[in-house]
Amino acid sequence: DSGVTQTPKHLITATGQRVTLRCSPRSGDLSVYWYQQSLDQGLQFLIQYYNGEERAKGNILERFSAQQFPDLHSELNLSSLELGDSALYFCASSVGRVNSPLHFGNGTRLTVT
Amino acid sequence: DQQVKQNSPSLSVQEGRISILNCDYTNSMFDYFLWYKKYPAEGPTFLISISSIKDKNEDGRFTVFLNKSAKHLSLHIVPSQPGDSAVYFCAAGVSGGSNYKLTFGKGTLLTVNP
């Protein structure tokens, strides 16, 4: 158990809809990362937050947004969903120090029909 | 542009033998490298890391080797056990700066046969 909690585990929704994925980091971790894993793809970095502030942005679509709240949990919002958004979405956390390993949750599997 | 490449999608070895997983990178700025293991229906789990100031790091049955001139790293598992069967991801990062993030390869599926 990594200590990172992601909800829900599975999500099935229709194209054009909006969903919110939630992540609670490990106790004491200030940094939260979101990654997307599509079929036959590696983990694609989406966005990083540190203590409530956005720190780094990767290949995140404009239809996607995220935030980190004062209690350090984070939410990833996906809107105007398309079939191609179907993927595993992982949240990871770390203490935020350089070279500290990321600890991943078990992911949310999103299926867009 | 894939900056971290794992060219072998899968690898099969016999229990007790050595498993060697390979990873190549293109970004010269990467100076910190990690290996993660992933079982089905679980998130990736940190396995071992190495800084660019070293060329080898060992932790029990797991050893990571780094060849900076070739931009290549490898993970050796000796001896391999059936429980090691999983997808292994290579990851690389740039230390320094406040936007520390990791770039991952696509993974190699290791199967250890009893």
Side-chain angles (χ1 to χ4, degrees):
Chain A
D1 183 9
S2 68
V4 178
T5 304
Q6 287 188 249
T7 57
K9 289 185 180 179
H10 302 276
L11 201 49
I12 301 175
T13 189
T15 54
Q17 295 299 305
R18 182 181 189 274
V19 297
T20 298
L21 312 183
R22 183 186 168 99
C23 169
S24 294
R26 285 191 326 163
S27 177
D29 284 357
L30 298 178
S31 202
V32 170
Y33 303 75
W34 287 97
Y35 281 83
Q36 178 193 56
Q37 185 182 21
S38 303
L39 194 64
D40 294 332
Q41 294 294 317
L43 293 154
Q44 301 291 319
F45 171 71
L46 294 178
I47 197 163
Q48 177 208 359
Y49 280 84
Y50 178 82
N51 204 18
E53 293 185 3
E54 181 184 305
R55 280 294 174 88
K57 232 173 181 178
N59 300 322
I60 187 167
L61 300 171
E62 286 190 11
R63 300 183 284 109
F64 296 180
S65 65
Q67 54 184 324
Q68 186 180 28
F69 294 87
D71 67 352
L72 301 178
H73 92 270
S74 178
E75 292 181 356
L76 179 66
N77 300 297
L78 314 176
S79 60
S80 302
L81 285 168
E82 302 174 357
L83 295 177
D85 297 327
S86 296
L88 263 172
Y89 291 85
F90 287 103
C91 170
S93 72
S94 77
V95 296
R97 286 195 304 271
V98 167
N99 299 349
S100 54
L102 276 58
H103 300 273
F104 284 82
N106 287 337
T108 293
R109 180 171 291 282
L110 172 66
T111 302
V112 182
T113 61
Chain B
D1 177 30
Q2 205 178 342
Q3 298 185 56
V4 177
K5 298 178 183 178
Q6 293 177 256
N7 292 319
S8 297
S10 63
L11 174 68
S12 183
V13 299
Q14 285 300 119
E15 181 179 5
R17 306 294 289 269
I18 184 172
S19 294
I20 300 176
L21 297 107
N22 294 303
C23 177
D24 297 296
Y25 61 96
T26 58
N27 189 341
S28 302
M29 298 296 291
F30 289 144
D31 60 0
Y32 190 63
F33 305 88
L34 308 90
W35 284 94
Y36 281 79
K37 179 170 72 172
K38 184 182 180 301
Y39 293 118
E42 294 183 10
T45 304
F46 169 70
L47 199 55
I48 192 168
S49 63
I50 188 167
S51 166
S52 61
I53 63 173
K54 294 185 175 182
D55 54 19
K56 176 183 173 181
N57 188 26
E58 194 171 352
D59 183 1
R61 296 185 298 114
F62 303 91
T63 303
V64 56
F65 294 92
L66 176 62
N67 182 334
K68 289 188 292 293
S69 60
K71 293 192 177 67
H72 177 83
L73 66 155
S74 60
L75 174 68
H76 292 209
I77 306 174
V78 184
S80 301
Q81 300 173 354
D84 295 330
S85 298
V87 176
Y88 288 78
F89 290 99
C90 169
V94 179
S95 59
S98 61
N99 58 345
Y100 173 65
K101 64 179 177 68
L102 295 179
T103 301
F104 284 81
K106 291 187 178 182
T108 296
L109 173 63
L110 173 66
T111 302
V112 180
N113 302 302

